Amino acid sequence: MPAISAATGAAPPPAKVVVEDIYGFLRVLDDGTVLRSAAEPAFCSTTFPDSHPSVEWKEIVYDKAKSLRVRMYRPSAAAGGNKLPVLVHFHGGGFCLGSCTWANVHAFCIRLAAEAGAVVLSAGYRLAPEHRLPAAVDDGAGFLRWLREQSANPAAGADAWLAEAADFGRVFVTGDSAGGTIAHHLAVRAGLAAASTTKRGEPGPDVDPVTVRGYILLMPFFGGVRRTRSEAECPAEVLLNLDLFDRFWRLSLPASATRDHPAANPFGPDSPDLAAADVRPVLVVAGGLDMMRDRAVDYAQRLAAMGKPVELAEFAGEPHGFYTLDPGSEAAGELIGLVSRFVRSCCVAAPKG
């Protein structure tokens, strides 16, 4: 017999049960309530400085309706009208966690701007499970529309601080983990649209005021029902393990969808045909100790087999997200050097239209 409340004479409401828990930072109750911790996870702390003498930064809201923010970083080299390439960056977190304001994301973007000599735009997006996929990808596309407005209307409310530093004809979309997956989907959307435009004989994408020259996928967060070897061999005791990634997919994919859903698996049964997409150059970064390693390598190899312009770089001894786990590391510096070379090569190969 249920207990009776002395105050009301009625049975108290049943206790709510936590059905999903991601290290206490995100909990989902059995009634659908989502509880988020305001604190940053411990792994977001970093000893890397949160400022740099040659980099200025500021934060603004780019989508007021959705309360989405962007942190913008520009090197002092942009002074005097010296326009720099733009790196649009999307953070990781399994589509469920993360923010452009987290200390480790901020530190990485500071170093990226300083050492790559680029304007870095670290854009936020809506998180699951409150906003399941494809919300994050739609927000990524929305940010590129916002960027286009900044370039097309310099006298109509555009951000002068950004406009005076950014070369909108040299834009690159980069993302870490889930952010890398967003970059993939944006590349495919643009590639399929470009292929359709070319087929109809219409002007190509270089007439657009914002020209995306390439995409950089840093250890992209891909999934699939069938396990890869690196997934199956992932130790359960590591922080970023298979169980955690499965929870991310359960919380971020449309209800009842499997990991073969197009949002997760680029080569799933219902995924777009990448062979038909006119994809701009892609740099894929994999880590030898990353559980996602095999999927990233397979992705790059399949694109290459389709004749797409893709480069694969593997950091043999590094785990998932090593550049944000330790933004000041030597390996993070090597990664930034790799990104810089990729940007230069794309700009030489494809001069501004």
Side-chain angles (χ1 to χ4, degrees), residues 268-340:
D270 299 317
S271 297
D273 179 12
L274 301 191
D278 184 9
V279 178
R280 289 292 177 97
V282 179
L283 170 62
V284 181
V285 173
L289 301 182
D290 181 14
M291 185 190 72
M292 305 300 297
R293 181 260 175 200
D294 288 357
R295 292 197 184 277
V297 171
D298 177 69
Y299 174 81
Q301 290 175 342
R302 290 203 195 193
L303 286 187
M306 296 174 191
K308 308 302 180 185
V310 59
E311 177 182 348
L312 172 65
E314 184 169 355
F315 287 73
E318 298 298 333
H320 190 79
F322 66 90
Y323 36 83
T324 54
L325 293 174
D326 187 1
S329 68
E330 181 179 348
E334 292 176 5
L335 171 69
I336 292 173
L338 175 68
V339 170
S340 299

Side-chain angles (χ1 to χ4, degrees), residues 67-348:
S67 298
L68 296 176
R69 311 184 72 84
V70 57
R71 283 199 176 182
M72 306 190 293
Y73 306 80
R74 68 176 195 181
S76 56
N82 184 24
K83 302 278 189 173
L84 299 176
V86 177
L87 299 178
V88 175
H89 182 72
F90 297 107
H91 64 78
F95 296 109
C96 299
L97 301 176
S99 169
C100 63
T101 67
W102 278 10
N104 60 339
V105 177
H106 175 78
F108 174 67
C109 289
I110 284 272
R111 187 175 184 187
L112 181 62
E115 297 183 13
V119 174
V120 175
L121 306 179
S122 181
Y125 52 89
R126 289 171 295 169
L127 299 177
E130 299 95 325
H131 306 283
R132 290 177 177 267
L133 290 165
V137 180
D138 292 340
D139 291 343
F143 182 77
L144 292 182
R145 287 193 297 272
W146 176 86
L147 190 61
R148 187 171 295 113
E149 293 168 0
Q150 301 302 300
S151 65
N153 303 296
D159 191 288
W161 189 90
L162 171 63
E164 67 186 18
D167 182 347
F168 295 111
R170 291 187 291 162
V171 175
F172 293 80
V173 178
T174 178
D176 162 35
S177 191
T181 310
I182 293 174
H184 154 75
H185 286 293
L186 295 179
V188 173
R189 287 186 182 187
L192 291 173
S196 176
T197 296
T198 301
K199 186 175 182 180
R200 295 196 303 269
E202 298 176 3
D206 284 349
V207 301
D208 195 301
V210 168
T211 301
V212 177
R213 295 295 181 191
Y215 299 84
I216 303 166
L217 282 57
L218 306 177
M219 301 184 168
F221 179 46
F222 292 141
V225 171
R226 185 176 180 178
R227 301 297 191 195
T228 66
R229 180 173 178 177
S230 59
E231 289 173 342
E233 294 180 352
C234 178
E237 63 271 13
V238 301
L239 178 67
L240 302 176
N241 57 38
L242 188 58
D243 176 67
L244 175 65
F245 281 23
D246 283 351
R247 277 181 281 166
F248 280 148
W249 285 127
R250 285 199 300 271
L251 292 171
S252 63
L253 288 172
S256 76
T258 73
R259 295 187 304 276
D260 277 338
H261 187 278
N265 189 347
F267 307 108
D270 299 317
S271 297
D273 179 12
L274 301 191
D278 184 9
V279 178
R280 289 292 177 97
V282 179
L283 170 62
V284 181
V285 173
L289 301 182
D290 181 14
M291 185 190 72
M292 305 300 297
R293 181 260 175 200
D294 288 357
R295 292 197 184 277
V297 171
D298 177 69
Y299 174 81
Q301 290 175 342
R302 290 203 195 193
L303 286 187
M306 296 174 191
K308 308 302 180 185
V310 59
E311 177 182 348
L312 172 65
E314 184 169 355
F315 287 73
E318 298 298 333
H320 190 79
F322 66 90
Y323 36 83
T324 54
L325 293 174
D326 187 1
S329 68
E330 181 179 348
E334 292 176 5
L335 171 69
I336 292 173
L338 175 68
V339 170
S340 299
R341 291 190 295 274
F342 176 75
V343 168
R344 289 195 301 269
S345 69
C346 290
C347 293
V348 169

